[in-house]
Structure formats: C-alpha cells, structure tokens
Amino acid sequence: MKLFRIIIAWFLAIIAVLAAGSYLLPKTYLIERSIIISADKALVYKYISHLQLWTEWIPWKTDSDTSLKHTFIGFDGENGTTYMWDSKMKGKGKLVLNKLVANKYIHYQLSINDGEFKSEGEIMINSQGQEKTIVKWMDKNDLGYNPITRYTRLFFKQKLTPDLENSLKKLKKLCETASNTTKVSPTYP
C-alpha cells in the first residue's frame, strides 16, 4: 500500500509540474513568413483574395484524399466569402475572409473541427520595384489558459510554419507563370 501511495504521489507531482510549466509557455503564437514574387501586385492579390484559387497553392489540399469536399460560399474577392472543407483525413474546416483591401491585404478567420482550433491571419502584399511583390503571411492564435492546449499548439506551430512556407512557394510559382487573364468565376450561396 505504501508503494501505491508513492506512485500516486509521484504521478500527481509530475502532473502538477507539467500544468505549472504550461503557464511558462506563450499564451499566444504568431507565425510570419514572407516571399518576393516576380509578378504584378494585382495578380498576386487575385490569388490571395479568391478562395477558389487557394486550392491551387495551399498545402492542405491533397490529391490523395478522395474524401475531400470543397464548398465555396459568396463572391470571391469580397468580405464574407467562405471556403469550407470536409475530409476523413483532414477533418472539417472553415475559412472566412472578413476584411479585404484591394491590392493590399486580406484578413481571415479560420476554424477547424467545429471550433476545436481557431486562428486568424493576414496576407499582406507590397510592391517592391517594378513587377515584384512582397507577400507576408501571418497567422496567430490566443491559446487561452488550458495547459493541454498550450502544449499541443507548440507542436501545431512547428507543423504550420513549413506549411505556410510551402504555400508561399507554390503561390510564387503560380503567379510567376500565370498571366493576368486567370479566370475566376463567382459562386453563389
């Protein structure tokens, strides 16, 4: 019985140390990545403000996931445009564009698995010389006071950072090879 009490005491002590340690971790995270694209700012803005085009450059779309279903609501390039997905591999998600300033930036709200994970972000663009555009992508989240969330989001940030980098590389490739005649059609709710 004494051994059992010692084991329980050690177990509780470890849990207490882990819980207390989580409060030393940041309450928020911020990921920022940028890239220079040799393309006109208007074309780059078209790719970031038209959610139907996101499926061409975001890393979360995989051809191997046959269960992936996309739904677009609203008019591309306008506030409130929504991109939703449902997949056995990737879960459910929703991204809503809630602020757009033409040829400058977009702001979005992201919710995954019915709000289990939420974040918000911005993609900003600026001209750098003739036919060069700097694209800066920021994603951030307030992790709250839940100690488990703080630990799990540590790993999430490590996974999301390369995803943003790869997305920007794909965006660069698309914009640099595309022409301004890229056709994007609105969808209706």
Side-chain angles (χ1 to χ4, degrees), residues 89-102:
M89 289 173 55
K90 307 259 184 223
K92 288 182 172 184
K94 179 167 93 170
L95 187 137
V96 179
L97 297 181
N98 56 2
K99 186 168 185 184
L100 295 94
V101 176

Side-chain angles (χ1 to χ4, degrees), residues 5 13 18 23-24 26 41 48 51 59 68 76 90-91 134 155 162 168-169 174:
R5 286 184 186 168
L18 287 174
Y23 292 103
L24 299 175
K41 190 162 87 166
I48 67 168
L51 293 180
L68 183 62
D76 265 341
K90 307 259 184 223
I134 300 172
F155 300 108
L168 289 173
K169 288 175 187 174
L174 279 169

Side-chain angles (χ1 to χ4, degrees), residues 134-153:
I134 300 172
V135 180
K136 183 177 180 182
W137 191 347
M138 296 186 327
D139 192 82
K140 60 185 174 181
N141 188 3
D142 184 338
L143 304 173
Y145 294 102
N146 183 332
I148 296 169
T149 302
R150 288 189 180 196
Y151 280 114
T152 58
R153 293 307 181 247

Side-chain angles (χ1 to χ4, degrees), residues 27-31 60 85 90 92-95 108-121 139-144 149-150 152-161 163-164:
K27 186 176 181 274
T28 60
Y29 78 76
L30 173 66
I31 302 170
W60 309 293
W85 64 92
K90 307 259 184 223
K92 288 182 172 184
K94 179 167 93 170
L95 187 137
Y108 63 84
Q109 296 285 335
L110 175 67
S111 173
I112 298 175
N113 293 330
D114 296 322
E116 184 179 309
F117 172 78
K118 293 181 181 181
S119 76
E120 63 180 283
D139 192 82
K140 60 185 174 181
N141 188 3
D142 184 338
L143 304 173
T149 302
R150 288 189 180 196
T152 58
R153 293 307 181 247
L154 254 172
F155 300 108
F156 181 79
K157 182 178 177 182
Q158 290 174 352
K159 182 185 176 338
L160 185 59
T161 300
D163 283 350
L164 295 186

Side-chain angles (χ1 to χ4, degrees), residues 71-136:
T71 305
F72 298 92
I73 299 172
F75 297 96
D76 265 341
E78 292 186 8
N79 288 335
T81 302
T82 303
Y83 166 45
M84 296 184 293
W85 64 92
D86 190 0
S87 159
K88 291 179 184 172
M89 289 173 55
K90 307 259 184 223
K92 288 182 172 184
K94 179 167 93 170
L95 187 137
V96 179
L97 297 181
N98 56 2
K99 186 168 185 184
L100 295 94
V101 176
N103 296 321
K104 293 194 180 202
Y105 75 91
I106 62 141
H107 184 274
Y108 63 84
Q109 296 285 335
L110 175 67
S111 173
I112 298 175
N113 293 330
D114 296 322
E116 184 179 309
F117 172 78
K118 293 181 181 181
S119 76
E120 63 180 283
E122 289 183 350
I123 302 176
M124 296 165 280
I125 58 175
N126 289 302
S127 293
Q128 182 185 40
Q130 191 175 16
E131 295 294 315
K132 292 219 186 254
T133 304
I134 300 172
V135 180
K136 183 177 180 182

